[in-house]
Amino acid sequence: MTQPAETLAKQLALVIDLNVCVGCHACVTSCKQWNTSGSAGPLADLNAYGAEPSGTFFNRVQTWEAGAYPAAETIHFPKSCLHCEDPPCVPVCPTGASYKRKEDGIVLVDYDRCIGCKYCAWACPYGARELDEARQVMTKCTLCVDRIYDEKLAPEDRKPACVKACPTNARLFGDVKDPESEVSKAIRERGGYALMPEWETRPANQYLPRLVRQAQEF
Amino acid sequence: MRPAFSVILFTVLAGMGQGLFLMLVRADALGADPHELAVGGFASVALLGAGLACSFFHLGHPMRAWRAIAMWRTSWLSREVIVLPLTIAVVALWSLEHLLGKPHTAALAAAGVVLCLALWWCTGMIYACLRFLREWAHPLTLLNFALLGWMSGATLFAAYWSVLHGAAAARLWVVAAMVLTCAGAAARLASLARNRALRPKSTPQSAIGVAAARVRQISQGTTGGSFNTREFFHGRSAAFVANVKSIALVLAFALPLVLLAAAWVWPVPGLLPAAAAAQFVGLIAERWLFFAQANHPQNIYYQAVA
């Protein structure tokens, strides 16, 4: 059924530093603004001013607690598509609307071919895909594919909107197959890890673990 | 997972149609009247067709459904989309052939049987191939789609035969339906027992990659709901799920078995149609439970609102 995934020469990805994410949601709103206005949008907001608002987002920042008081830690945890190297969402798509780009490893949806069957979302263990309720097509993080190659933008702006928005530089962007890239070095030197490794999806996005400092005795 | 009624109805209706066709082919081999077989064959086409119609309601863009045949090399859903219309076409041709009294070709019957089995295989694999939905990722999923469909088709055929020829003449088919219902019950109980024993592989620790003994979510990142909070949760209480399970076990297996046994002992009209109707309702509940019991690992990321 699923062939072993091809190893691509280039794989763009995000590396997220859990040490410095402060949970401000700037990446969430910046992502929403860029993508609702760009080629991936519009991203629906249903009942936006009502009691039960529901919208399409490619990126969410969650908050978690690890350990127990007084040694409890609060962890702000940004979550978006991990652009897996062996993406389980791609082979299940009956129309070929879901695909992984050979040139840079970005997992994308062709909205014109999507029939809205939701099977790819079932096949993603991370819940990274969201059906847009207004357009009835599957949507997900594009790594701002309509931005990172735009030569009309200044070179320093050719990064995903979330990366540009982060005030603490918690989001690094680059090619994880290039050993000299900022992201590869960060993964190598700071113990980058994948989410839910038990499913062997080989996520391209990785997370940098928190360095826990013991409380100082005074 | 959230049970989708379009998919529940599709799998129950189509499964019954496939099971009915297998029984018709067997009856044909035993020398049944071609016109009676043709009527049964068209009933099978109607069930499969109704199932196909229901499946469209699951799609966000039904008009694009034709595109779903494209990825048959990798997608079981794509394979199902190819096999289902082929099955309908072959069963319809088989029925037409019997209606017109043309010489029956064994090849057409064989093709129909193979397609019915292939359709169960595709439907089962759609669920069984999702490795992290562990309640589904098991050969029992395939076995259950096939056995439960065949069982319901066999009971329906016994009911049809009793309407045509009286309950006494349907005894052979009553026995077949009882054997299949027992087999279906055994396979479904085995999958229920397996589900009960499953322990989740994914944990809050593996979900965010923090090794602490205690990891809990404080906020899922939104105050309102999202696709993730709707699609992957059944949203019902444990008591509701337990009730559906009881209804499924009674109506799909226990009551039909009692009615079938009663019809074998006392050939009273109405018992077998009642058994078929009970089994249909019971399988709706069974399929609801099949979806509701599947725990998606993404749910770990959607536990708390703050």
Side-chain angles (χ1 to χ4, degrees):
Chain A
M1 180 197 51
T2 51
Q3 290 93 31
E6 236 178 297
T7 302
L8 302 176
K10 184 178 178 187
Q11 172 69 62
L12 295 179
L14 297 171
V15 170
I16 292 164
D17 185 350
L18 296 180
N19 288 286
V20 289
C21 176
V22 291
C24 72
H25 292 247
C27 56
V28 177
T29 51
S30 182
C31 165
K32 177 85 173 188
Q33 186 279 329
W34 178 267
N35 285 300
T36 201
S37 330
S39 63
L43 309 183
D45 285 311
L46 302 183
N47 201 21
Y49 302 100
E52 280 290 318
S54 172
T56 309
F57 285 79
F58 295 170
N59 180 36
R60 311 239 182 211
V61 175
Q62 308 191 323
T63 302
W64 293 70
E65 184 184 73
Y69 180 84
E73 275 187 273
T74 301
I75 299 164
H76 300 295
F77 174 80
K79 172 176 164 298
S80 57
C81 171
L82 306 171
H83 299 279
C84 296
E85 293 197 52
D86 197 357
C89 54
V90 169
V92 300
C93 174
T95 70
S98 272
Y99 63 104
K100 184 171 177 71
R101 287 178 20 139
K102 292 215 183 325
E103 59 266 42
D104 54 17
I106 301 179
V107 176
L108 289 174
V109 179
D110 179 342
Y111 304 123
D112 293 331
R113 287 164 83 183
C114 175
I115 59 174
C117 72
K118 311 186 252 309
Y119 192 29
C120 57
W122 295 10
C124 170
Y126 307 101
R129 291 170 165 255
E130 300 193 13
L131 185 87
D132 188 277
E133 297 289 354
R135 288 183 294 156
Q136 287 295 311
V137 291
M138 196 56 70
T139 61
K140 62 179 289 302
C141 162
T142 67
L143 275 182
C144 287
V145 70
D146 52 350
R147 175 177 178 126
I148 56 177
Y149 295 110
D150 189 348
E151 294 187 354
K152 290 200 280 295
L153 293 175
E156 65 271 22
D157 285 335
R158 292 177 206 161
K159 287 180 177 175
C162 58
V163 175
K164 286 294 292 179
C166 181
T168 63
N169 205 24
R171 304 175 77 92
L172 312 176
F173 169 68
D175 177 9
V176 291
K177 290 294 171 65
D178 171 6
E180 293 313 308
S181 68
E182 183 188 25
V183 283
S184 294
K185 282 184 190 160
I187 291 169
R188 199 164 56 231
E189 292 164 12
R190 300 173 60 194
Y193 65 86
L195 305 181
M196 291 186 183
E198 60 273 23
W199 303 119
E200 295 172 344
T201 57
R202 299 198 294 145
N205 283 13
Q206 306 229 349
Y207 288 73
L208 303 179
R210 285 163 69 98
L211 306 166
V212 179
R213 293 189 190 84
Q214 296 305 314
Q216 300 240 309
E217 300 269 345
F218 288 104
Chain B
M1 302 293 290
R2 181 176 59 89
F5 268 95
S6 51
V7 181
I8 292 175
L9 276 173
F10 159 51
T11 55
V12 171
L13 286 169
M16 197 178 235
Q18 289 155 263
L20 177 59
F21 182 71
L22 296 192
M23 301 315 284
L24 289 166
V25 170
R26 181 77 194 117
D28 195 12
L30 295 177
D33 175 65
H35 287 97
E36 291 174 5
L37 292 174
V39 172
F42 286 122
S44 171
V45 170
L47 287 167
L48 287 159
L52 177 63
C54 287
S55 71
F56 277 86
F57 287 93
H58 186 65
L59 303 180
H61 282 277
M63 293 302 284
R64 298 179 187 169
W66 61 273
R67 288 184 177 276
I69 59 171
M71 300 308 279
W72 56 272
R73 286 184 193 82
T74 61
S75 171
W76 284 104
L77 180 52
S78 190
R79 289 168 198 166
E80 185 191 53
V81 169
I82 294 168
V83 171
L84 176 56
L86 277 180
T87 309
I88 293 176
V90 169
V91 174
L93 272 180
W94 182 92
S95 310
L96 196 63
E97 194 187 55
H98 281 75
L99 186 70
L100 300 177
K102 292 269 163 61
H104 313 147
T105 55
L108 208 52
V113 170
V114 168
L115 282 167
C116 284
L117 297 177
L119 184 53
W120 277 322
W121 187 270
C122 292
T123 306
M125 280 307 289
I126 286 173
Y127 304 96
C129 79
L130 301 175
R131 60 187 183 275
F132 38 82
L133 276 161
R134 297 173 70 217
E135 290 82 357
W136 294 350
H138 194 269
L140 275 173
T141 300
L142 298 178
L143 190 65
N144 275 315
F145 272 101
L147 275 181
L148 301 188
W150 195 6
M151 158 191 107
S152 61
T155 308
L156 183 64
F157 182 75
Y160 175 55
W161 206 258
S162 75
V163 170
L164 289 176
H165 303 286
R171 274 197 170 138
L172 170 68
W173 305 110
V174 168
V175 172
M178 285 177 78
V179 168
L180 285 165
T181 301
C182 287
R188 194 60 177 103
L189 287 171
S191 81
L192 288 172
R194 179 178 171 271
N195 288 353
R196 241 192 330 273
L198 280 178
R199 293 290 168 267
K201 258 192 192 172
S202 290
T203 60
Q205 282 82 355
S206 79
I208 67 165
V210 172
R214 185 173 159 279
V215 173
R216 71 176 184 107
Q217 188 173 59
I218 294 172
S219 164
Q220 61 182 10
T222 55
T223 49
S226 65
F227 173 73
N228 306 73
T229 61
R230 291 187 292 270
E231 183 70 5
F232 302 92
F233 294 87
H234 55 72
R236 301 288 182 171
S237 65
F240 184 92
V241 177
N243 283 339
V244 172
K245 185 171 159 184
S246 305
I247 290 169
L249 293 177
V250 169
L251 290 187
F253 307 115
L255 183 61
L257 272 177
V258 169
L259 291 171
L260 284 163
W264 195 85
V265 180
W266 306 288
V268 183
L271 285 178
L272 291 174
Q279 210 155 47
F280 177 76
V281 177
L283 283 183
I284 301 273
E286 182 280 328
R287 216 45 47 97
W288 190 94
L289 187 70
F290 172 76
F291 285 98
Q293 280 201 331
N295 290 306
H296 202 291
Q298 80 102 40
N299 292 3
I300 296 170
Y301 293 110
Y302 296 89
Q303 293 294 327
V305 172

